[in-house]
Amino acid sequence: MPESLVLITRRIPPAGLALLDDAGARTRVLEPDPDRIVDRAALIGAVQHAAVLLTQLTERIDREVMEASAGLRGIATMAVGYNNIDMDAANAMGIPVSNTPGVLTETTADLTFALLLGIARRIREADAYMRAGKYRIWGPELLLGTDVGTGPDGSRKTLGIIGYGRIGRAVARRARGFDMDIIAYRSGRTGSADDGTPYVSLDDLLTRSDFVSIHAPLNHDTRHLIGARELKLMRDSAFLINVGRGEIVDERALVAALRSATIAGAALDVYEYEPAMADGLADCHNVLLAPHIGSASVATRDRMAAIAARNALAHLRGERAPEVVNPAVYDSAAYRARLESMS
């Protein structure tokens, strides 16, 4: 029988560790080096002694990992997405899984708009230009970019948002401050959202938008939602921003579109085969790249760690986790059998 150990796959911010320590939980951080990937064999070996697994999106938590601990009471991930966890296996084995939703909405929306502004106004190129000592004299054609707001001619730009949930709506609020027109695509939705934003088809959104921002969840229907065909529908003056999931965009097709100027540019915080990038992506001058920092503010990451810790403590005590993503598991025979085996 595993001990009452919370196994933390990789180091989390102090706010989460403090909560676990204050509650008297016994913890072990498997990989304390923030720049190293967790060794899978070490993970499977360590989880044998764990009652709760506190993981991050960088680890693949499949049936093999779950079966390594006969007394695993729950899995807490310090992320909103949980595509790295085999939910079919967790449900079949009676294992509750929890995440950290809501807390990163505003921070991620901030980063989205920072990327949008950055690629439109060529901030990365301007920074490199200054650092290289190339700035000799101001000129009227130096690093010309694209207006995000109405600009001198008063024409409004259109922002198309793919995935109009919490983060998509937060991005829309920021865009309205720039007098942008907003349209949205959300599978199965027609008419308008409750804030008045019109729902349109994906093809309509792509053809009408000056900026396309992706915030949809990753599932069977959204993988490669944006491929070569969809990129060709976009205007050659349009920009693609992805702060959702890397696999929603066919990254090879995106490289081809950037090289051929099929679209004006892209700004990415997530990647199809993260942390790797598609060949040629880093060489494109018209792309702005960030290393998955959508939620990377001190306050937000602290809050995420605290939520993950509270979920982990609930799993440890056999209580309903505050942010469980598979609540039906608590009523399953598999969950009851798992609890009985631990008593």
Side-chain angles (χ1 to χ4, degrees), residues 221-264:
D221 294 328
T222 60
R223 186 178 187 278
H224 281 191
L225 183 70
I226 304 299
R229 186 192 79 85
E230 290 74 24
L231 290 163
K232 287 177 182 176
L233 289 176
M234 293 176 63
R235 301 174 179 181
D236 60 9
S237 58
F239 297 89
L240 180 72
I241 298 95
N242 189 8
V243 189
R245 289 291 179 268
E247 292 149 283
I248 293 175
V249 176
D250 181 339
E251 211 163 282
R252 290 182 181 179
L254 177 60
V255 171
L258 291 169
R259 284 174 168 171
S260 64
T262 299
I263 63 174

Side-chain angles (χ1 to χ4, degrees), residues 124-205:
R124 179 189 65 82
E125 294 171 83
D127 179 83
Y129 189 84
M130 289 297 297
R131 292 176 188 275
K134 294 181 178 180
Y135 186 40
R136 297 286 187 267
I137 185 172
W138 178 89
E141 297 181 354
L142 177 63
L143 290 165
L144 299 179
T146 299
D147 288 312
V148 175
T150 54
D153 63 358
S155 62
R156 295 168 67 96
K157 297 297 192 295
T158 297
L159 172 63
I161 300 177
I162 298 175
Y164 205 61
R166 285 190 296 260
I167 296 174
R169 288 166 183 257
V171 172
R173 291 196 300 272
R174 287 155 176 77
R176 291 189 184 99
F178 281 76
D179 292 325
M180 299 180 84
D181 292 325
I182 316 297
I183 55 177
Y185 167 75
R186 194 171 182 181
S187 181
R189 299 295 178 91
T190 58
S192 298
D194 55 13
D195 63 359
T197 299
Y199 286 120
V200 300
S201 69
L202 179 61
D203 286 4
D204 193 18
L205 181 144

Side-chain angles (χ1 to χ4, degrees), residues 296-315:
S297 74
V298 173
T300 295
R301 289 284 171 85
D302 274 350
R303 184 75 181 278
M304 290 172 68
I307 292 171
R310 291 189 186 98
N311 283 326
L313 289 171
H315 292 318

Side-chain angles (χ1 to χ4, degrees), residues 119 122 124-125 258-259 264 280-288:
I119 190 63
R122 302 176 67 181
R124 179 189 65 82
E125 294 171 83
L258 291 169
R259 284 174 168 171
L281 183 62
D283 298 324
C284 293
H285 74 278
N286 51 347
V287 65
L288 179 58

Side-chain angles (χ1 to χ4, degrees), residues 46-219:
V47 81
Q48 296 179 44
H49 307 288
V52 174
L53 181 61
L54 199 165
T55 186
Q56 298 181 28
L57 53 81
T58 46
E59 288 80 59
R60 179 166 57 91
I61 309 301
D62 55 15
R63 182 178 287 272
E64 183 183 22
V65 173
M66 297 180 210
E67 287 180 342
S69 174
L72 190 64
R73 301 174 195 171
I75 299 169
T77 183
M78 198 188 109
V80 173
Y82 45 92
N83 302 97
N84 60 311
I85 301 172
D86 185 337
M87 292 303 301
D88 289 339
N91 290 329
M93 297 171 66
I95 300 174
V97 177
S98 57
N99 68 342
T100 61
V103 64
L104 50 69
T105 297
E106 301 301 327
T107 304
T108 305
D110 283 349
L111 191 276
T112 301
F113 224 81
L115 290 176
L116 188 155
L117 288 166
I119 190 63
R121 294 302 304 272
R122 302 176 67 181
I123 300 300
R124 179 189 65 82
E125 294 171 83
D127 179 83
Y129 189 84
M130 289 297 297
R131 292 176 188 275
K134 294 181 178 180
Y135 186 40
R136 297 286 187 267
I137 185 172
W138 178 89
E141 297 181 354
L142 177 63
L143 290 165
L144 299 179
T146 299
D147 288 312
V148 175
T150 54
D153 63 358
S155 62
R156 295 168 67 96
K157 297 297 192 295
T158 297
L159 172 63
I161 300 177
I162 298 175
Y164 205 61
R166 285 190 296 260
I167 296 174
R169 288 166 183 257
V171 172
R173 291 196 300 272
R174 287 155 176 77
R176 291 189 184 99
F178 281 76
D179 292 325
M180 299 180 84
D181 292 325
I182 316 297
I183 55 177
Y185 167 75
R186 194 171 182 181
S187 181
R189 299 295 178 91
T190 58
S192 298
D194 55 13
D195 63 359
T197 299
Y199 286 120
V200 300
S201 69
L202 179 61
D203 286 4
D204 193 18
L205 181 144
L206 294 171
T207 57
R208 290 171 55 186
S209 298
D210 298 292
F211 299 89
V212 174
S213 190
I214 300 173
H215 304 282
L218 178 65
N219 53 46

